[in-house]
Amino acid sequence: MAGFKWGGSVLVIAMALLTLVGFFYTPHNPTEMNIQQRLAPPSLQHPLGTDNYGRDILSRIMVGGRPAFQAGMVAVTLGLLIGVLWGAAAGYYRGWLEEILMRTADGLYSLPTILMALLAVTLLGPGQASILVAVTLANIPIFARLTRAQFISLREREFVLAARALGLKDLRIIVLHILPNCLPTLLVQASVSFAAAILAEASLSYLGLGTQPPHPSWGRMLKEAQGFAGLAPWAAVFPGLAIALAVLGFNSLGDNLRDYLDPKS
Amino acid sequence: MMYLLKKLFGMLATLAVVSILTFFTLFVLPGDPALLILGTEADPGALELVRAQLGLDRPVIVQYASWLGGVVRGDFGRSLTFSRGYAVADLIAAALPVTLPLAAMAIFLAMAVAIPLGALAASRRGKTADKIILGFSQAGLSIPAFWLGILAIQFFAVRLGWFPPGGMPRWSADPLGALNSLILPALILALPRAAILTRIVRTAMLEILKEDYIRTARGKGLPETAVILKHGLSNALVSVSTVAGIQLIQLVAGTVVVEQVFSLPGLGRLILSAVLLRDLPLVQGTIFVGAAIILAVNFLLDSLYPILDPRIRGVQ
């Protein structure tokens, strides 16, 4: 890994660890109210202060990262799987199949994530499920377009023509010869998509479309903190910082990967 | 002209598809609007009556046709929740004077920041100015806009008192006050798009600066600013405008969040409450109008295209 910059990865690992530790240990119960401790500023007992119900903000941030990371993982995994199949079919076989597949992908691509989330919430009701549907749908066309572009440029290269001349089956050529060459580009996009999904989950749960109370999510915490941000700035600062650091981490990881895998550009 | 007509036709076709999609997606919705109006304790006869009044007992195709017929005449039906029976068209008409200026201001701001910064970064590639601009762009991409909005309200509105902390007076009652209450939201709305567009402009400029005609322009002794602005930027903007559309779409969609942060009575907030209240006629109407706005922005961008790129003007 000589020449790889670790800046993004360090941030990503730190935020992921914070969330992982939250599964086993939090300083306080994230949903337990404590009226005597309401709006307490940061202290030894509550390192990041408390909210208007006296709930510990650090504990809530540790647990509130779950929906964000879940959105990132689902969006990237499903988006990648479906999008690569979609784009590979279009880019390898070309013709009318490509036309239909890419028109659909373009249409889907032009729909903003918020609009998809609003439609999903109208159908399924507010909750994490609607958000997962929206972020996944948003990522399928991104990976499909990327994969198709890669396939079109790779399918005429000598090593693919040679494989075809040897009589190899299409599936074997796609999986063993073309796909491995798409991996660097897909990996960079996966990191950027992860960042976008975290940001989308935060915005949507800020709007009240995602995780419902009393369960915390970073966006939801900001929605609640907005009402008393003047009295308790810490309640509005720290959850936003958590989102920004996680998003910055994945975005920089994408840049670091791009620099490492493709030093020319 | 042919080019623009073709684009206009495409836009209307897309709008038709959107109208069909929203109407039929929402049609499969569980839950009965009549129950929503009368409550679950309602008498079955009364429910039938309300269903007939709303036209819900007719086949779906007939319902769609009558809805579309209304839309053409500017009638989107009546809201189920907003002081029950309020015309959807009136609610939308009241929201547009908030959302349209907000989006227009933000689009202008995003371009006004991104084009010069992107060009500057490209012309100083690898130098300090480039690094600072890229750093700002990375921050603008990563910081959630609504978080920045919440903090900006606390600082600029509550502490310094430069702007109202939220809400907006009517244009007719207090035009300056209305404008003032849109400044901070427009800045927050523009920020993430400006961050991305800066990178897009920079990348496009770097591609153009490799071209032979740039070397020729420099070789014949043109000053560097003339090379960058006249030969570089004007050509870079052609390729920028092909990818800028999706960013402007995202910007318009972002009004949903920003209007919520600043409690602005715009279309985004109307869509959000319609969805959360499951007010179907209002969801259909607002999403249709929202999609129309997005398509109109795209169309405007498409009509800029021949101005930027004379080659398209020539091909009829």
Side-chain angles (χ1 to χ4, degrees):
Chain A
M1 296 294 279
F4 182 73
K5 295 203 192 94
W6 288 91
S9 328
V10 169
L11 262 182
V12 166
I13 292 169
M15 296 312 288
L17 267 182
L18 191 71
T19 306
L20 271 181
V21 170
F23 279 98
F24 307 102
Y25 165 80
T26 51
H28 297 265
N29 180 339
T31 52
E32 192 181 26
M33 304 188 189
N34 182 349
I35 297 305
Q36 273 109 40
Q37 287 290 321
R38 62 196 298 264
L39 302 180
S43 64
L44 274 181
Q45 201 195 348
H46 298 286
L48 304 183
T50 64
D51 67 6
N52 56 333
Y53 294 114
R55 296 176 295 196
D56 182 54
I57 289 176
L58 176 60
S59 309
R60 287 177 73 71
I61 287 180
M62 290 171 79
V63 175
R66 286 177 204 175
F69 274 92
Q70 189 192 32
M73 285 190 278
V74 170
V76 168
T77 318
L78 287 183
L80 196 70
L81 272 175
I82 303 173
V84 165
L85 280 177
W86 193 314
Y92 191 79
Y93 293 106
R94 315 293 308 260
W96 59 268
L97 180 69
E98 178 186 32
E99 191 68 17
I100 295 176
L101 286 173
M102 293 330 286
R103 289 282 156 186
T104 321
D106 288 346
L108 205 54
Y109 182 63
S110 67
L111 288 180
T113 314
I114 290 189
L115 188 67
M116 286 192 247
L118 286 168
L119 285 174
V121 167
T122 321
L123 290 171
L124 306 172
Q128 177 76 358
S130 298
I131 292 188
L132 294 181
V133 169
V135 289
T136 303
L137 282 178
N139 272 291
I140 292 173
I142 295 178
F143 285 105
R145 288 160 56 114
L146 206 60
T147 309
R148 171 181 163 266
Q150 291 277 310
F151 264 64
I152 287 178
S153 73
L154 289 169
R155 74 193 290 272
E156 305 300 337
R157 294 270 292 273
E158 283 89 350
F159 65 90
V160 177
L161 297 179
R164 205 172 296 150
L166 285 171
L168 296 187
K169 295 223 169 60
D170 281 355
L171 190 67
R172 200 183 157 90
I173 298 177
I174 290 175
V175 174
L176 290 182
H177 295 271
I178 304 185
L179 259 185
N181 286 291
C182 303
L183 270 183
T185 318
L186 291 173
L187 210 57
V188 171
Q189 181 57 45
S191 189
V192 175
S193 281
F194 208 112
I198 290 181
L199 202 52
E201 187 279 331
S203 316
L204 296 168
S205 59
Y206 168 77
L207 291 176
L209 301 172
T211 304
Q212 296 298 309
H215 301 291
S217 74
W218 293 339
R220 181 90 211 175
M221 289 172 75
L222 284 176
K223 177 189 176 70
E224 289 160 9
Q226 197 178 1
F228 49 87
L231 291 171
W234 51 87
V237 167
F238 292 119
L241 202 60
I243 304 168
L245 290 178
V247 176
L248 182 67
F250 278 101
N251 271 336
S252 323
L253 177 60
D255 282 352
N256 297 158
L257 281 172
R258 189 178 295 131
D259 292 344
Y260 177 71
L261 297 168
D262 184 15
K264 283 172 302 214
S265 67
Chain B
M1 267 333 275
M2 270 312 283
Y3 168 80
L4 281 188
L5 275 179
K6 227 160 116 187
K7 288 286 172 188
L8 189 67
F9 182 75
M11 177 180 136
L12 289 176
T14 316
L15 202 55
V17 173
V18 168
S19 80
I20 293 171
L21 274 182
T22 44
F23 197 90
F24 288 92
T25 323
L26 299 182
F27 197 81
V28 298
L29 200 68
D32 181 347
L35 274 180
L36 189 67
I37 293 178
L38 297 178
T40 43
E41 305 288 301
D43 153 73
L47 282 175
E48 274 313 307
L49 200 68
V50 170
R51 278 193 203 110
Q53 260 177 9
L54 293 172
L56 296 174
D57 51 352
R58 298 171 301 169
V60 58
I61 302 287
V62 178
Q63 287 190 44
Y64 174 69
S66 89
W67 180 75
L68 198 64
V71 167
V72 173
R73 284 178 277 115
D75 175 11
F76 289 90
R78 299 194 165 275
S79 160
L80 303 178
T81 50
F82 268 79
S83 20
R84 198 155 293 154
Y86 227 106
V88 170
D90 291 344
L91 290 168
I92 293 175
L96 288 182
V98 179
T99 301
L100 291 182
L102 174 63
M105 281 163 75
I107 289 176
F108 175 78
L109 277 169
M111 304 256 207
V113 169
I115 294 172
L117 282 188
L120 182 69
S123 66
R124 298 266 190 285
R125 179 178 194 179
K127 307 232 173 75
T128 320
D130 186 26
K131 283 182 184 146
I132 293 176
I133 292 171
L134 279 182
F136 270 114
S137 149
Q138 183 72 285
L141 275 171
S142 303
I143 296 173
F146 61 96
W147 180 49
L148 214 56
I150 295 172
L151 300 182
I153 291 175
Q154 282 308 316
F155 190 72
F156 293 107
V158 178
R159 190 155 302 175
L160 298 178
W162 293 354
F163 305 99
M168 177 184 167
R170 287 175 163 278
W171 286 101
S172 52
D174 180 6
L176 275 181
L179 188 68
N180 197 33
S181 50
L182 288 184
I183 293 176
L184 214 45
L187 279 169
I188 297 293
L189 186 56
L191 182 83
R193 298 310 133 199
I196 298 180
L197 283 170
T198 303
R199 292 190 154 206
I200 294 175
V201 172
R202 177 180 177 273
T203 312
M205 272 300 268
L206 288 177
E207 278 304 306
I208 297 286
L209 289 180
K210 279 190 223 151
E211 296 282 342
D212 289 340
Y213 57 78
I214 295 289
R215 198 173 351 130
T216 311
R218 279 187 183 139
K220 72 180 182 186
L222 273 187
E224 186 63 17
T225 23
V227 175
I228 296 285
L229 293 181
K230 191 147 175 288
H231 297 267
L233 192 57
S234 64
N235 284 302
L237 286 184
V238 175
S239 52
V240 168
S241 65
T242 57
V243 281
I246 198 81
Q247 293 307 321
L248 299 185
I249 289 175
Q250 296 288 354
L251 183 149
V252 175
T255 54
V256 178
V257 177
V258 168
E259 286 175 4
Q260 188 65 21
V261 174
F262 290 89
S263 319
L264 297 174
L267 190 65
R269 236 177 150 216
L270 195 59
I271 295 182
L272 184 64
S273 45
V275 165
L276 288 174
L277 294 168
R278 311 194 105 187
D279 185 336
L280 281 200
L282 196 57
V283 173
Q284 284 160 348
T286 45
I287 287 191
F288 182 81
V289 172
I293 293 175
I294 285 175
L295 288 171
V297 169
N298 235 359
F299 178 69
L300 280 179
L301 200 74
D302 282 340
S303 45
L304 261 179
Y305 216 48
I307 301 174
L308 289 171
D309 190 352
R311 281 169 301 185
I312 296 181
R313 255 179 284 165
V315 184
Q316 289 293 322

